[in-house]
Amino acid sequence: MIKLLHTADVHLDSPLRSLALRDPDLMGRLRTATRRAFSRIVDVALSDGVSAVLIAGDLFDGSERSARTAAFLSGQLERLQAQGVRVFYVKGNHDAENPITGEISLPDNVHVFDGRGGKVQLDDEVWIHGVSFSGRHAEESLLPKFPDPVPDSINIGMLHTSLSGSEGHDPYAPCSVADLKAHGFDYWALGHVHRRRVHSKDPWIVMPGTPQGRNIGEEGPKSATMITIDGRIEVEEVPTSVLEFLEIDIPISDAAGYDDLRDLARKAIHKEAEVLTSEFGAARVTLTGESDLRWRILRDRDFWVESIADIARETDRIWLDRLDLGLPASPSTIRTATDELSGIMEEILREPAFAEASRSKLEDIL
């Protein structure tokens, strides 16, 4: 039995973007979230006895030069080397523009495929094939650079690609799922799109997604993919993310007052904390439904932002990213607001000081 661990789009030291990170306590815990996610991948590789780690592009993030990032990566790869775990790596678009990739000295257990493509024998049964980006853009398919599969073997291809296109991702190294199937490999270890998706099981075509989400657009728990080869290929997710981004909807139609609203928020947020896969969560909370409290909540928005942030912090696992008020105006809520406004105006009219101030201003105008 052979085990391999497939990851991509690590984006080492890419910053997380969330209003929740204004909290110094959370920021202190998550300053190196992408590094910690990669460390978890290494931990799993060592504890599960994998033969190799496959990194399908975008190990680095952009063009920032960081000796600290290089030192961290070298240390993690040396941990794998010490246990005889090999690493296969194809460069993606972010790697191609990062100066570290051309300067860092990688341990001997790491094989980096170049832009011409090639194949490496892992053992008597398994061959790893890969093609890297030669530059920042790969507008043509890289599939023609892959050799034919080795007969009577398990053939695994590593490719950084947008496939036929994905919203929010540049259309790099385009190819179709049908094209990959036709090539004859047994497993395609893909990268580039940050949301995990299994495109096919015969053969396996897997986009593992990023191991650590970086903003609310990359919500949910993130993972790497464990490949087990034992006559047949089996695949399972391995949790990796330190922080996950959440969207929590709280229906408040049944809330008769602010106490009820707090109870509903507390139950919803604490429930999410109990099932959270990652260590921490940054939640975008939305209050929904028709409610007679609508206009008061709108009026007291800042109060509710702080109140729900406090409720989230009670869990010691979830922090508030943002509060959205998805509260539609209804005839009843409009009447409630109008009635209260009328009452306030009547109270003002009965104030002697208001009448005197108004009379004085009108005399000045006249």
Side-chain angles (χ1 to χ4, degrees):
M1 184 177 68
I2 298 171
K3 286 187 175 184
L4 310 172
L5 192 56
H6 169 204
T7 188
D9 303 289
V10 179
H11 291 278
L12 281 174
D13 287 345
S14 175
L16 274 59
R17 294 179 174 87
S18 169
L19 295 176
L21 295 173
R22 292 178 179 176
D23 188 300
D25 183 34
L26 182 60
M27 174 58 84
R29 303 188 197 195
L30 297 176
R31 197 176 301 278
T32 57
T34 54
R35 291 191 198 180
R36 291 179 61 192
F38 189 73
S39 295
R40 286 184 170 190
I41 291 170
V42 173
D43 291 343
V44 170
L46 297 177
S47 64
D48 285 28
V50 306
S51 298
V53 174
L54 312 179
I55 305 174
D58 285 359
L59 175 59
F60 298 96
D61 185 68
S63 58
E64 292 300 317
R65 186 186 303 265
S66 170
R68 186 176 298 175
T69 302
F72 164 79
L73 178 62
S74 294
Q76 295 302 312
L77 296 176
E78 286 168 0
R79 289 178 62 202
L80 295 171
Q81 182 184 37
Q83 297 298 319
V85 179
R86 300 174 72 179
V87 178
F88 296 92
Y89 168 38
V90 296
K91 296 179 182 179
N93 53 298
H94 281 268
D95 300 318
E97 67 182 76
N98 192 290
I100 296 176
T101 58
E103 298 174 359
I104 186 173
S105 178
L106 299 174
D108 294 338
N109 63 319
V110 181
H111 179 86
V112 183
F113 291 97
D114 60 26
R116 295 168 296 180
K119 64 180 183 287
V120 177
Q121 189 171 13
L122 180 62
D123 69 354
D124 293 338
E125 185 180 2
V126 179
W127 286 79
I128 310 295
H129 307 251
V131 178
S132 283
F133 277 38
S134 298
R136 293 176 58 184
H137 306 286
E139 298 179 357
E140 303 295 330
S141 174
L142 298 179
L143 195 55
K145 296 186 177 183
F146 282 87
D148 293 333
V150 178
D152 303 319
S153 299
I154 299 294
N155 290 270
I156 296 175
M158 297 179 63
L159 178 61
H160 197 76
T161 174
S162 59
L163 291 176
S164 298
S166 179
E167 184 178 354
H169 295 275
D170 294 319
Y172 290 152
C175 61
S176 69
V177 170
D179 293 335
L180 296 178
K181 286 184 175 183
H183 200 77
F185 286 179
D186 301 282
Y187 184 99
W188 279 100
L190 304 183
H192 187 55
V193 180
H194 289 192
R195 185 176 295 276
R196 185 179 192 275
R197 183 176 177 185
V198 177
H199 290 273
S200 170
K201 295 184 179 181
D202 186 22
W204 286 96
I205 302 174
V206 178
M207 190 76 71
T210 179
Q212 173 57 61
R214 297 176 297 165
N215 54 59
I216 195 67
E218 298 175 355
E219 78 279 2
K222 302 304 177 184
S223 61
T225 298
M226 183 69 75
I227 308 163
T228 303
I229 304 171
D230 189 9
R232 53 179 293 181
I233 296 177
E234 295 183 356
V235 166
E236 65 175 320
E237 281 189 80
V238 176
T240 55
S241 50
V242 179
L243 171 106
E244 63 187 77
F245 292 88
L246 310 168
E247 296 196 36
I248 304 176
D249 290 343
I250 304 176
I252 65 166
S253 298
D254 295 334
Y258 275 11
D259 287 344
D260 292 341
L261 183 51
R262 285 191 197 87
D263 288 342
L264 290 170
R266 184 168 282 107
K267 287 177 182 177
I269 293 171
H270 280 250
K271 181 179 179 180
E272 289 290 339
E274 291 171 1
V275 298
L276 197 63
T277 301
S278 308
E279 286 181 44
F280 308 109
R284 182 164 295 182
V285 176
T286 303
L287 305 184
T288 66
E290 293 186 0
S291 172
D292 291 342
L293 301 175
R294 176 182 182 272
W295 87 269
R296 292 174 57 192
I297 295 171
L298 294 174
R299 180 195 65 190
D300 300 337
R301 179 188 180 89
D302 290 345
F303 168 81
W304 280 109
V305 168
E306 294 302 324
S307 294
I308 291 180
D310 285 343
I311 290 171
R313 279 192 290 267
E314 291 173 2
T315 67
D316 201 33
R317 299 192 69 196
I318 293 180
W319 275 258
L320 180 67
D321 172 62
R322 194 174 84 187
L323 175 65
D324 288 339
L325 304 178
L327 305 173
S330 65
S332 62
T333 59
I334 292 172
R335 281 196 302 273
T336 300
T338 304
D339 290 346
E340 185 154 345
L341 180 59
S342 297
I344 292 171
M345 292 171 68
E346 289 176 3
E347 289 181 12
I348 291 173
L349 286 173
R350 290 195 292 268
E351 285 286 339
F354 173 77
E356 183 58 35
S358 300
R359 182 179 297 109
S360 175
K361 288 187 178 182
L362 285 171
E363 287 176 352
D364 289 342
I365 293 170
L366 291 172

